[in-house]
Amino acid sequence: QEITGLMFRIANSRKNQMIEVRAQVIFSRFCTENGRVVRKFDLLKLERERVSFFPLAWTVVHPIDESSPLYGATEADLA
């Protein structure tokens, strides 16, 4: 969709089917504030936060747009 995103896939390896599955992704990072290193936590907005029926696999997607804490981050920033 002409946009960058953080994507990962989760799978149901059980022999049953799950319903009403919800996902929440928290991004943890270290920042310098007032000369101190502090840890920040950001709840990432997901393209879809829940699925009604989760039989096999689900690709969780966080669109990286201007409102994302990952917006403009480089590979070096994330390392």
Side-chain angles (χ1 to χ4, degrees), residues 6 12 29 33 36-38 42-43 50 54 67 75:
L6 170 68
N12 180 8
R29 59 193 164 124
E33 289 184 355
R36 290 183 358 174
V37 176
V38 295
D42 294 293
L43 182 63
R50 64 184 277 284
F54 180 38
S67 65
E75 184 177 344

Side-chain angles (χ1 to χ4, degrees), residues 33-50:
E33 289 184 355
N34 301 324
R36 290 183 358 174
V37 176
V38 295
R39 183 175 240 169
K40 293 255 185 172
F41 297 93
D42 294 293
L43 182 63
L44 299 182
K45 182 179 176 189
L46 301 178
E47 186 176 76
R48 177 176 294 150
E49 295 179 352
R50 64 184 277 284

